[in-house]
Amino acid sequence: MRNQRTGGEIPRRPSLIKDYAQLPGVPDEMIDPDGNVRAGWAALMSAFDALGHDELAARFERADQYLRDAGVFYRKYDGAEGKERAWPLAHIPLLIDESEWATITQGLTQRAELLERVVADIYGANELVARGLLPPELIARNPEFMRPLVGIKPASGHYLHFCAFELGRGPDGTWWVLGDRTQAPSGAGFALENRVATTRALSDIYAGMNIHRLAGFFRDFRDALEAQGKRLDGRVGILTPGQHNETYFEHAYIARYLGIMLLEGEDLVVVDGQVMVRTVAGLQPVSVLWRRMDASFIDPLELRYDSRIGTPGMVEALRNGTVSMINAVGSGILETRALAAFMPRLANAVLGTDLLLPEIATWWCGQDAERQHVLDSFDAMMIGPAFSMSLPFDDTRGTALGSAIPEHQKEALKDRIAAHGADYVGQEPVRLSTAPVYVEGKLEPRPITLRVYAARTERGWTIMPGGFARVGSSHDTSAIAMQRGGQAADVWVVSSTPVERVSLLPREGEKLVRNPAGNLPSRAADNLIWLGRYAERCEATVRILRAYNARVAELSNPDIPLLKHTRDYLEAVDVDATEALPLGLLQAIDSAVLSASQIRDRFSPDGWLALNDLQKTAQRFGTRIHSGDDATRAMTVLLRKLAGFSGLVHENMYRFAGWRFLEIGRRLERSIQIARVTGWFTGKDAPDGALEMLLEIGDSVMSHRRRYSVSAGTQSAIDLLVLDPLNPRSAIFQLAELRVQLETLPGGIEDGQLSPAAKLALELHTDLVIAEPGDMTPAALDKLASDIGMLASLVASAYFT
């Protein structure tokens, strides 16, 4: 083909895959056992070829940028240390035809029901052990067997409500169950983010294919949780171990997505056998907890005594039937690897039928014949612990191919198996199918596993139409784990006909339900106040440092009285002005980010992005800036970013209780800062130029020039920065706002009486209303700052203890 303008040959754009069936090493997932391209893959690859390498690479970068902007991360552990790592997206989705997905759905629905029946028997009649279908040792010795829960029937009537299943496909196309996740299955939120990121990059391709949506799955599960909550007359919450958990981002994301409270153990207290959440409106009942922490940690009284993240008395509440735990405490026993050896027999005994999805072949070495078989076939077996549970997120440590074990360790392991066989299992190695991964402009086949989610709804079990696929970073199947460099891909269930477009928005005709303002947990309110305070503390420090460095650049003498006076003030608040970017400022920024990180479920992605941008900018300046002009420009940049963050919060945050506490924090800190700095720069020992610097720090230079006809003086500066109710940076303005917010909070006014905090705010505001500039001496301003600090303490004692 020739170019009509130049007459030259048009170079053919290289195809990603030009002949699927014959390319050596083509991913198995793209080809069926007969050598035909699976449904959807031909269209996807053709679309990729039409885009070309450069456009495709740009689109994949767009997906990565979205994940960075959204703050999607998981915690990777290097020894005892956990570090936040960017979510490793594999950009090419895994495509599965809906007819094949129907088979998976049917098999997993059957399996979920089987697991429910098994765990109900383990904590109930114990007939499976009595009939010889389960060895008693697998139950009695199991660290996930929670003895205090025996005989306690779940309030909901079911032990399992949300499960995950690890699936693998063999090269022949057969799907196998590799493991069950019933303890606190993770990853559903990441599946959502995978979908959002992938569709942002491939929106036109996604729109042109009939891909089943995920929102309906989450909507139905949310509705089931809320229905349970109504039956038990209490709220619904997600119980998280906290921000140091490897999947905390997902906990916060799901809570925000579903509109459910995210709670930690310290948020809860058991009163008279009822679980209550500490909210700003007092103790409120909680009746449904979607548990995202391991069961043994939930109650230090009856389970792990050393748990610092649990709630004393939680098991007693379960005994009383006042709270429904999703999933039931003790259900983690179903993750025991050795149970896989008995699942086929259990299916026939309990359900009267074979497993629809085959189990990976497993031999428990607690039985003589099975132990001998494993020892005889040691090199061809995957050897692992019998009682292992879910290890760190998506990790596969704990198992190894016998032939890959070093010789000096192999004999010792065999001896241990011979002596303590009940602690080990042998499993048949499964060669996993491969999926295409985009690597440096071309596709490479990598092994995959699939994690699929099942949720119990009002209509029974439903299976998420997708999930996420874990893709290996190399051809080694052990490199699938996230902790070992694996990636996660979106899963598209492809239909031949148009699919329903679903969302979490209310259905037509549904009754509108508004949550009460007092639903805010006290811990969240506490962090919101401190977020507001740290943000204002940062701004005050940046303004002082900018004014200081501007004068350093102008006067070229850091030892003049004004600059020394300013350094002394900063030193009193642990900021070293001799540093171009003081450590005290960096610590204040880090503290703001830390406070925000503990309320990710209540913080907008834009606000989080703005705050992280501020932190990264400050860190990037680091030691690269110098005092004077350089530092002045750097402070101006930081000030703009702080203003952007404050603007986002002020303009976009819903005026709910959370916003009020954030606003209270801002007003408390701003009033304290302005009182202190005004007292410092208007004292008798204040050097020449102090008033001009004070007005600059207070961002009131222009206002002062317009409002006062005479040259700057101490009285006019105090009047503007402390007593002027129209100046948004004045102390009296902050106290007026504090009065409004404190009186609006739950308990702010009861039976016509003000709360202690609201009374003090009224008193301080009234004192300023009737004060004259001459009354505001440095001592009076210092007392004002202290009194406002007392006001902060009253707020804390009223809402956070």
Side-chain angles (χ1 to χ4, degrees):
M1 188 176 192
R2 303 188 70 81
N3 188 310
Q4 294 180 358
R5 292 181 60 193
T6 64
E9 289 286 336
I10 297 178
R12 289 181 60 85
R13 182 175 354 188
S15 173
L16 284 173
I17 292 187
K18 54 189 177 182
D19 187 348
Y20 309 104
Q22 314 218 345
L23 238 168
V26 65
D28 303 317
E29 285 298 325
M30 298 175 64
I31 308 298
D32 67 20
D34 298 326
N36 301 314
V37 179
R38 295 187 192 274
W41 281 107
L44 182 64
M45 291 299 122
S46 296
F48 283 176
D49 283 339
L51 291 174
H53 291 286
D54 292 343
E55 175 63 17
L56 197 57
R59 289 191 176 209
F60 290 160
E61 172 55 30
R62 191 182 308 160
D64 292 337
Q65 186 62 51
Y66 162 76
L67 293 171
R68 289 193 292 270
D69 290 346
V72 183
F73 71 90
Y74 75 106
R75 194 172 297 278
K76 183 174 180 179
Y77 287 91
D78 299 321
E81 291 294 320
K83 297 179 180 178
E84 292 181 4
R85 304 294 174 90
W87 183 247
L89 179 68
H91 305 98
I92 298 180
L94 175 66
L95 272 55
I96 300 178
D97 184 70
E98 68 174 354
S99 61
E100 185 176 14
W101 193 257
T103 301
I104 293 174
T105 296
Q106 187 178 9
L108 293 184
T109 301
Q110 179 206 49
R111 190 173 186 89
E113 189 55 37
L114 173 59
L115 292 175
E116 169 70 28
R117 303 271 289 273
V118 170
V119 71
D121 180 79
I122 289 173
Y123 288 98
N126 209 18
E127 292 180 358
L128 297 178
V129 171
R131 293 167 58 188
L133 295 169
L134 275 178
E137 194 171 6
L138 277 187
I139 308 302
R141 288 190 55 205
N142 201 312
E144 283 301 321
F145 178 53
M146 303 292 161
R147 295 180 189 276
L149 277 300
V150 172
I152 298 178
K153 294 183 178 180
S156 67
H158 299 287
Y159 286 81
L160 301 179
H161 299 80
F162 194 86
C163 307
F165 305 94
E166 303 290 348
L167 304 181
R169 194 212 295 263
D172 64 351
T174 302
W175 286 101
W176 298 79
V177 176
L178 304 178
D180 304 303
R181 294 289 177 263
T182 55
Q183 173 75 272
S186 60
F190 291 120
L192 276 171
E193 284 289 29
N194 285 346
R195 175 61 56 90
V196 174
T198 303
T199 53
R200 285 210 176 187
L202 307 174
S203 56
D204 50 346
I205 299 174
Y206 181 82
M209 302 175 70
N210 300 315
I211 311 300
H212 284 271
R213 268 57 174 182
L214 304 181
F217 171 84
F218 288 98
R219 179 195 62 199
D220 293 345
F221 184 55
R222 178 202 61 190
D223 292 348
L225 293 177
E226 291 179 348
Q228 276 195 58
K230 290 177 182 177
R231 285 195 295 270
L232 295 172
D233 195 26
R235 290 160 175 74
V236 179
I238 296 176
L239 184 59
T240 175
Q243 63 170 333
H244 297 297
N245 183 262
E246 59 266 22
T247 57
Y248 174 73
F249 168 84
E250 185 210 357
H251 304 168
Y253 179 81
I254 286 287
R256 187 167 61 237
Y257 182 70
L258 298 181
I260 297 175
M261 289 190 299
L262 185 65
L263 303 171
E264 297 184 20
E266 66 180 272
D267 293 326
L268 303 171
V269 62
V270 178
V271 180
D272 296 329
Q274 170 72 59
V275 180
M276 312 289 281
V277 57
R278 296 181 174 98
T279 75
V280 297
L283 296 178
Q284 304 290 337
V286 175
S287 58
V288 179
L289 287 171
W290 184 3
R291 176 172 60 85
R292 304 306 301 271
M293 67 167 70
D294 288 351
S296 59
F297 289 94
I298 71 160
D299 187 346
L301 286 183
E302 298 199 50
L303 300 174
R304 282 191 62 154
Y305 71 90
D306 59 342
S307 171
R308 302 300 179 92
I309 58 176
T311 304
M314 184 67 78
V315 172
E316 182 62 25
L318 293 171
R319 233 179 243 117
N320 293 339
T322 59
V323 65
S324 175
M325 195 70 75
I326 312 295
N327 287 327
V329 176
S331 57
I333 196 171
L334 296 172
E335 296 185 1
T336 303
R337 185 178 277 114
L339 280 179
F342 304 93
M343 290 298 283
R345 187 168 55 173
L346 288 171
N348 279 287
V350 174
L351 302 178
T353 183
D354 293 335
L355 289 172
L356 297 177
L357 287 178
E359 186 89 31
I360 182 173
T362 304
W363 293 266
W364 178 52
C365 297
Q367 299 165 299
D368 293 340
E370 285 76 4
R371 178 171 60 251
Q372 193 57 51
H373 176 70
V374 170
L375 290 172
D376 292 343
S377 309
F378 189 88
D379 285 354
M381 288 275 186
M382 295 293 296
I383 309 299
F387 295 102
S388 68
M389 302 301 137
S390 52
L391 288 153
F393 182 52
D394 280 326
D395 205 346
T396 56
R397 288 179 293 180
T399 63
L401 184 64
S403 60
I405 298 174
E407 287 297 328
H408 68 281
Q409 297 177 4
K410 187 180 297 186
E411 292 306 316
L413 180 55
K414 285 183 176 181
D415 290 342
R416 287 199 300 273
I417 293 174
H420 306 286
D423 294 335
Y424 296 92
V425 294
Q427 292 183 300
E428 178 184 14
V430 175
R431 183 184 163 221
L432 298 172
S433 66
T434 55
V437 177
Y438 188 78
V439 181
E440 297 180 356
K442 64 178 187 293
L443 296 183
E444 292 187 5
R446 299 285 170 80
I448 66 151
T449 61
L450 179 61
R451 179 170 288 194
V452 186
Y453 298 88
R456 187 185 295 279
T457 70
E458 298 291 279
R459 300 184 302 276
W461 288 104
T462 183
I463 307 299
M464 182 192 293
F468 76 84
R470 291 187 292 143
V471 184
S473 59
S474 69
H475 297 288
D476 179 8
T477 55
S478 68
I480 286 178
M482 302 298 179
Q483 300 283 348
R484 298 191 178 188
Q487 297 176 296
D490 191 15
V491 178
W492 291 3
V493 177
V494 184
S495 174
S496 58
T497 58
V499 298
E500 180 186 3
R501 300 181 67 89
V502 293
S503 74
L504 262 67
L505 295 175
R507 299 180 181 91
E508 190 68 31
E510 281 188 340
K511 183 180 179 182
L512 181 65
V513 178
R514 293 186 178 94
N515 291 323
N519 265 350
L520 181 68
S522 296
R523 178 185 54 83
D526 194 10
N527 280 290
L528 283 163
I529 272 196
W530 279 105
L531 173 59
R533 292 196 64 173
Y534 282 126
E536 282 296 323
R537 192 172 299 177
C538 290
E539 181 175 340
T541 304
V542 166
R543 288 186 179 279
I544 297 171
L545 288 170
R546 184 173 69 165
Y548 172 84
N549 280 285
R551 284 156 179 79
V552 168
E554 178 183 351
L555 303 173
S556 301
N557 182 5
D559 295 325
I560 66 172
L562 176 60
L563 297 182
K564 185 178 184 305
H565 192 70
T566 307
R567 286 199 302 273
D568 290 343
Y569 176 81
L570 288 169
E571 185 179 346
V573 293
D574 295 324
V575 176
D576 185 357
T578 62
E579 299 174 346
L581 193 67
L583 179 61
L585 173 59
L586 293 174
Q587 289 174 336
I589 294 173
D590 291 344
S591 295
V593 173
L594 178 62
S595 294
S597 71
Q598 299 187 61
I599 46 172
R600 288 292 301 274
D601 60 311
R602 297 180 179 274
F603 208 59
S604 75
D606 286 338
W608 177 254
L609 178 60
L611 200 55
N612 269 274
D613 184 38
L614 170 68
Q615 184 185 45
K616 290 176 182 177
T617 301
Q619 292 171 345
R620 194 163 53 244
F621 285 148
T623 57
R624 293 185 294 177
I625 63 172
H626 303 283
S627 297
D629 275 339
D630 206 15
T632 303
R633 285 191 293 271
M635 293 305 115
T636 300
V637 171
L638 294 180
L639 192 59
R640 285 203 303 267
K641 291 184 180 294
L642 278 163
F645 167 73
S646 297
L648 275 171
V649 169
H650 187 76
E651 294 298 327
N652 298 340
M653 196 169 177
Y654 186 79
R655 269 36 175 186
F656 215 29
W659 176 83
R660 298 193 186 284
F661 279 97
L662 183 63
E663 186 72 358
I664 287 169
R666 292 180 62 220
R667 301 303 176 182
L668 284 169
E669 190 66 28
R670 183 176 288 188
S671 56
I672 289 172
Q673 293 289 339
I674 201 66
R676 284 178 175 167
V677 77
T678 302
W680 188 268
F681 283 92
T682 58
K684 291 181 179 180
D685 59 343
D688 290 342
L691 290 180
E692 290 82 356
M693 178 176 272
L694 174 61
L695 291 168
E696 184 178 334
I697 292 169
D699 195 24
S700 299
V701 173
M702 297 295 294
S703 299
H704 187 267
R705 289 175 183 171
R706 286 195 299 267
R707 188 157 177 76
Y708 303 96
S709 58
V710 296
S711 60
T714 300
Q715 298 294 301
S716 60
I718 291 175
D719 187 54
L720 180 62
L721 293 175
V722 180
L723 303 177
D724 191 335
L726 301 180
N727 182 3
R729 306 201 73 84
S730 70
I732 195 173
F733 187 94
Q734 314 314 313
L735 285 166
E737 289 296 309
L738 282 169
R739 280 187 56 195
V740 172
Q741 302 308 333
L742 290 172
E743 291 173 12
T744 310
L745 287 179
I749 302 178
E750 289 189 349
D751 298 326
Q753 296 295 313
L754 295 176
S755 67
K759 281 183 180 178
L760 181 56
L762 173 60
E763 180 182 343
L764 295 176
H765 180 252
T766 303
D767 288 345
L768 292 186
V769 168
I770 63 177
E772 295 295 333
D775 300 330
M776 294 290 98
T777 63
L781 289 167
D782 185 63
K783 183 179 184 303
L784 175 61
S786 297
D787 288 343
I788 297 171
M790 186 183 300
L791 176 58
S793 298
L794 287 176
V795 173
S797 64
Y799 296 102
F800 309 147
T801 58

